[in-house]
Amino acid sequence: MTTPKSSASELRALVDLLNGAVTQIEAACASRSQIFPPSDDPFTLESEAARMSPDVLLPGNIIVAAAQQLIAAVRIPALTLTLTGLSAYRTASLRLAISVHVSEILREAGPQGLHVNEIATKTKISPSKLARVLRLLATNHIYKEVAPDVFANNRLSSFLDTGKPVAAILEAPENKFDGTSGISAVLEHLTDEGLKVSGYLAETIMDPHTSLSEEANETAFNKAFGTTLSGFAWVELPENHLRLKRFTIGMKGTQNMVPPGIILENFDWKNLSKGSVLVDVGGGIGHESLVVARAHEHTNVVVQDRGPVISHATKYWESQFPEAVKAGRVKFQAHDFFTPQPVKEPAVFMLRHILHDWSDKYALIILKQLRAAAGPHTQLLVIDYTVQYACVDASTRDIPGTEIQLPPAPLLANQGAAGAMPYYVDVHMMGMANGIERTVPHFQKLFEQAGWRLSQVFYAPSSLLENSKLVAVPI
Ligand SMILES: C[S@@+](CC[C@H](N)C(=O)[O-])C[C@H]1O[C@@H](n2cnc3c(N)ncnc32)[C@H](O)[C@@H]1O
């Protein structure tokens, strides 16, 4: 007879990891005379500085992974699973708070907060319903209930603040995200389109007509929104112009979730020869290639996207980097990346957050079009999440950068909650467009089928929202 395994040792091991990680964070902050920002204080870039250095981020990962695993180990299963089933309401509540500008209203109210009656009056919604929604969020540490029915911003809720005056937002809500970091724009997309799409994911996978589909218009998105258009085509319909604007600004928002200029790291921009052309394929407004062009004067940029998006790109560069526009260092091209690539033999083709939108069938077409236009020295730079298995993957790889350091036991091999972002985005991409986040071997196979050889991988630390960088060269 085997002795039943005690879970007490697992609990103790997890608590020891938590203890060790907190000690490391305290030491890191003390060595720089920094104060770790309290959760109740509004978010500022300065206060976040203590959180953004590797000697805090890495133990922070251990805390997130261990705390989540501890909760899963200790709480009764019925409660954990029921709360998982109800978690869509947390998403829906977040959407309401963003849509009725609660964080902006509370910024203007100050640290003492505001009674929910006054918050609700400004946007003419039910105070009692808003209070219940805000209380659910406050229970999840987003907003603080400082007195019964009185709410104030805290660190998480102030992150949703666009910084705009409430009067200006109420006068022209369509301009709410203009000129902002774009963070609440991306969250509004996720909590609006994303939430509705998630509601149809299971039906779409179980439906024999769509289960095996690789088409971008046979998805949960299509069931949710009752359209036969792909999401990219649908959002260009005139009636969806505000959604297109929100999505475009939101894509720039992803830039603000990582340390500034991270695009410049882990790729040898410096040694590209003078006049080298970077083609930002499906570049949106070209916010990342702009960072490269600004930092490396010897590079020129071509931003390509669908026609309606390219007009936003032109405006963005004219406002952010007019010197480059005047000097002719940037060109804007309406181009469909499923058709032959007009720029031949550039130094770099960049695909940032593109391949994950598409199934293999369509990703291959994009990659083959780029390969047909590549010269012998063209590099392909793909920026996307790379996913790991949730268990140890013993297969060996000979690509530089793919060695993996396992987190300490008993944490999951992929860092569990600390590395969860790619898995959520993967399923979101599936629901939106039959897209997919890929493992490194999956990328390698796909590249080879299109005539590219994966030569280098740079994993992004999971403590950031940064994606991995994969470099490929023509075979
Ligand atoms: C997820 S966004 C990424 C944008 C940008 N690369 C970035 O990192 O922010 C995907 C982009 O692909 C563009 N796109 C979709 N279908 C396209 C097509 N057939 N040809 C060119 N661009 C396309 C979209 O308009 C959108 O700007």
Side-chain angles (χ1 to χ4, degrees), residues 95 187-196 243 246:
R95 173 163 183 238
L187 285 169
E188 211 171 284
H189 159 70
L190 291 175
T191 58
D192 178 6
E193 287 96 347
L195 182 62
K196 294 180 173 88
R243 282 189 147 115
R246 182 172 76 187

Side-chain angles (χ1 to χ4, degrees), residues 232 251 282-284 287 305-306 309 335-337 352-354 357:
F232 287 120
M251 280 316 296
H287 55 87
D305 208 292
R306 297 166 68 101
V309 178
H335 168 63
D336 176 354
F337 49 46
R352 181 177 182 272
H353 297 176
I354 298 298
D357 289 335

Side-chain angles (χ1 to χ4, degrees), residues 31-341:
S31 72
R32 291 186 291 270
S33 306
Q34 270 174 333
I35 293 172
F36 194 77
S39 304
D40 282 352
D41 287 2
F43 169 93
T44 64
L45 282 176
E46 297 73 41
S47 72
E48 287 301 301
R51 215 185 287 274
M52 291 307 270
S53 59
D55 54 359
V56 174
L57 288 170
L58 297 178
N61 268 357
I62 300 282
I63 293 176
V64 173
Q68 189 65 35
Q69 194 164 330
L70 198 56
I71 292 167
V74 83
R75 194 158 59 184
I76 62 167
L79 205 50
T80 296
L81 293 173
T82 308
L83 287 168
T84 305
L86 286 164
S87 63
Y89 291 105
R90 191 170 57 164
T91 312
S93 300
L94 186 60
R95 173 163 183 238
L96 180 72
I98 298 172
S99 304
V100 299
H101 331 300
V102 174
S103 294
E104 286 87 355
I105 292 171
L106 292 180
R107 178 207 343 117
E108 291 189 356
Q112 74 284 359
L114 202 61
H115 194 278
V116 74
N117 288 347
E118 292 177 66
I119 308 174
T121 303
K122 290 192 192 280
T123 46
K124 302 185 180 65
I125 63 169
S126 155
S128 67
K129 288 179 183 166
L130 180 62
R132 287 152 63 196
V133 161
L134 291 182
R135 194 163 297 115
L136 171 60
L137 290 173
T139 306
N140 283 282
H141 313 286
I142 305 171
Y143 301 106
K144 192 174 176 212
E145 190 165 15
V146 289
D149 285 324
V150 177
F151 293 89
N153 271 334
N154 63 1
R155 175 174 160 258
L156 291 182
S157 68
S158 61
F159 199 69
L160 304 171
D161 180 2
T162 55
K164 300 225 159 165
V166 174
I169 296 176
L170 293 177
E171 199 181 306
E174 67 280 7
N175 297 334
K176 180 177 177 188
F177 301 122
D178 281 347
T180 68
S181 70
I183 286 161
S184 41
V186 79
L187 285 169
E188 211 171 284
H189 159 70
L190 291 175
T191 58
D192 178 6
E193 287 96 347
L195 182 62
K196 294 180 173 88
V197 166
S198 70
Y200 286 89
L201 191 79
E203 282 83 345
T204 311
I205 299 176
M206 291 186 296
D207 181 340
H209 299 294
T210 47
S211 190
L212 297 174
S213 176
E214 289 201 65
E215 301 303 318
N217 66 347
E218 293 178 353
T219 64
F221 166 83
N222 295 98
K223 280 198 201 295
F225 286 90
T227 174
T228 55
L229 296 174
S230 75
F232 287 120
W234 175 84
V235 83
E236 288 174 5
L237 295 175
E239 63 267 33
N240 290 331
H241 71 280
L242 288 179
R243 282 189 147 115
L244 176 66
K245 182 173 171 184
R246 182 172 76 187
F247 181 73
T248 312
I249 296 174
M251 280 316 296
K252 180 179 153 291
T254 60
Q255 189 184 41
N256 294 283
M257 299 180 189
V258 297
I262 209 160
I263 183 80
L264 303 173
E265 291 172 23
N266 298 324
F267 185 78
D268 194 6
W269 300 107
K270 197 162 48 79
N271 283 320
L272 295 178
S273 54
K274 193 167 163 37
S276 285
V277 174
L278 157 65
V279 188
D280 194 355
V281 183
I285 55 174
H287 55 87
E288 289 294 314
S289 43
L290 185 147
V291 176
V292 176
R294 202 191 281 288
H296 294 288
E297 282 190 10
H298 62 292
T299 58
N300 292 332
V301 169
V302 180
V303 184
Q304 298 179 334
D305 208 292
R306 297 166 68 101
V309 178
I310 275 298
S311 57
H312 289 286
T314 313
K315 281 189 217 130
Y316 180 69
W317 278 69
E318 277 166 357
S319 69
Q320 300 296 313
F321 198 10
E323 309 87 286
V325 179
K326 275 199 207 91
R329 287 187 56 211
V330 56
K331 290 194 176 66
F332 304 97
Q333 277 183 345
H335 168 63
D336 176 354
F337 49 46
F338 295 114
T339 62
Q341 169 58 236

